[in-house]
Amino acid sequence: MTRIPDTSLPDISLLASADAATLRQLPDCELVDLLLPDMNGLLRGKRITRDALEKVYQEGVCLPMSLIATDITGNTVEETGLGYDIGDEDRICRPVPGSLRAVPWSPRPMAQLLLSMEDAKGGAFEANPREVLKRVLERYTARGLKPVVAVELEFYLFDAHLDADGKPRTPVNPVTGRRSNSTQVYYMEDLNDYRGFTDAVSAACKAQGIPADTAVAEYAPGQFEINLKHRDDALLACDDAVMLKRAIKAVAQQQGVQASFMAKPFAEQAGNGLHIHVSVLDDKGDNIFASTPEAPADTLKHAIGGLQRSAKDSLLLFAPHANSYRRFVLNAFVPLNDAWGYNNRTVAMRIPHSNEANTRVEHRIAGADANVYLVTAAVLAGMLHGLENGFDPGAPVVGNAYEQTEIRTPYWRQAIDDFMGSDFIREQFGESFRHIYGQQKLKEMHTFYTQVTTLEYDWYLRAV
């Protein structure tokens, strides 16, 4: 028997205007995923029926406060103080206005909606990653400034099945039938061969209003990059990135492969980066960085100086996991310095080739495994710190920065210590956030180092 869709709608007067318009376009929608990005950037939440959406807009939805800071395995980190210490209390989570979107890859008509968590008094929970970024943006607004942000994400496609040793494998090329094993950076044939995947991602982005505009075959077999258009609302730019990652993973699964944003899946291949492009507009809409390489604007130099001085304290936000630090190796287009330069991919802060009006900073330190809200918050806070204090970044590097600067290989344990002891993090993001995020990462590190690896058995079991 043919099912007649229920076209009744929740009371749309309760919805943000953009969400009401979206819902009108989805008369067959049956389910809605309520999504709360946690500190690791994982999406947690609930799935509800469409008729429950009205209540969510009116009253919010309850989720455990501890969800914000669960570790990468999904366990509560008691050291944060959000678990047993407070009885694992629920907090109200409310819709992010304008974030309702169709889920085009679902076999059933569905939508998704971003949530933001409140504190016990009904205000914004200050450790919520989206709220962390929002507070940084408020400081820009107070100074009559508006950041313009674009996000670039690199990722791998893998075979859906691991090899006999439990390790990922590059995918089988859908055209040649052979497993991808060559490094053909920006190779158009790779894009053509995987056109079924990139076209499906493009269609999902169009359906969800995600402004993706460029796909690139990157510097390893099975590695790709999809870029997002710039926005003059950094929150929306990060929302786009969160939705793009979900779309990429879902489309990959539909096509029998796995997409991963893991920072360094293969020791011998390129890692996955998260690059943030930023310019800043004044109250007249002019780019305060606008300048030429021959005469860089003081504001540009001061912003870069702030990024240099905050990089060490913020590294844990750029590289949050054990695997993140495997990405920091020589001659892999990953910054091992705090240098800056024009049109130079060996520096941490790159000024891409552009005309004067579009001068911007490309921040290249973070891995694709990081939380995009927190990375963007750290980048913008560092730049504002430099603008307020007039820091001097030194001269731009011309040529190979690896050969001209001190090589720094960061370590997870030191990054955690630097973060937890940082006055910059406390002043910019609050003591509560510093404590909760720091304890989450400390617990993950302790858990990681309690495991005995296969390599240890190979090296030591018989030899010692």
Side-chain angles (χ1 to χ4, degrees), residues 228-356:
L228 293 162
K229 294 180 181 178
H230 63 269
R231 282 193 183 269
D232 63 3
D233 184 329
L235 282 170
L236 286 181
C238 292
D239 293 343
D240 291 338
V242 168
M243 291 191 290
L244 176 62
K245 288 181 77 169
R246 190 176 198 229
I248 288 170
K249 287 190 171 190
V251 169
Q253 185 179 35
Q254 276 193 335
Q255 299 198 1
V257 291
Q258 179 182 15
S260 177
F261 295 84
M262 186 177 177
K264 189 74 168 178
F266 300 120
E268 70 280 5
Q269 298 289 356
N272 288 322
L274 166 60
H275 300 163
I276 306 294
H277 290 246
V278 184
S279 57
V280 177
L281 306 181
D282 62 20
D283 56 5
K284 298 178 182 178
D286 295 326
N287 180 8
I288 67 171
F289 296 157
S291 55
T292 65
E294 294 74 27
D298 287 341
T299 45
L300 176 65
K301 293 190 292 184
H302 297 334
I304 293 170
L307 289 172
Q308 290 174 333
R309 283 160 178 78
S310 61
K312 181 179 178 183
D313 290 2
S314 300
L315 181 60
L316 190 62
L317 302 174
F318 304 145
H321 307 298
N323 178 259
S324 306
Y325 295 83
R326 300 193 186 281
R327 180 171 158 266
F328 294 102
V329 294
L330 192 63
N331 297 326
F333 298 107
V334 180
L336 301 178
N337 51 59
D338 60 8
W340 73 287
Y342 285 86
N343 200 15
N344 189 336
R345 287 185 170 86
T346 67
V347 299
M349 276 68 76
R350 171 178 176 252
I351 314 304
H353 177 72
S354 70
N355 58 33
E356 182 175 340

Side-chain angles (χ1 to χ4, degrees), residues 48 53 61 140 162 164 185-186 204 208 239 243 352 403 461:
I48 63 171
L53 192 59
V61 61
Y140 274 85
L162 303 176
V185 64
Y186 283 56
Q208 292 195 312
D239 293 343
M243 291 191 290
E403 295 179 347
L461 189 63

Side-chain angles (χ1 to χ4, degrees), residues 194-207:
Y194 287 91
R195 185 172 179 175
F197 169 76
T198 56
D199 282 356
V201 171
S202 178
C205 289
K206 183 177 181 180

Side-chain angles (χ1 to χ4, degrees), residues 153-230:
L153 280 165
E154 296 171 340
F155 61 95
Y156 274 89
L157 290 181
F158 293 131
D159 193 300
H161 303 288
L162 303 176
D163 69 13
D165 296 321
K167 296 178 180 179
R169 300 184 295 174
T170 56
V172 173
N173 185 299
V175 172
T176 67
R178 296 192 297 269
R179 197 168 298 283
S180 302
N181 58 12
S182 64
T183 299
Q184 293 279 10
V185 64
Y186 283 56
Y187 189 43
M188 295 306 297
E189 286 303 313
D190 280 349
L191 280 181
N192 287 336
D193 291 350
Y194 287 91
R195 185 172 179 175
F197 169 76
T198 56
D199 282 356
V201 171
S202 178
C205 289
K206 183 177 181 180
Q208 292 195 312
I210 302 170
D213 69 348
T214 306
V216 172
E218 268 292 344
Y219 202 64
Q223 188 186 36
F224 296 87
E225 177 181 273
I226 293 181
N227 299 338
L228 293 162
K229 294 180 181 178
H230 63 269

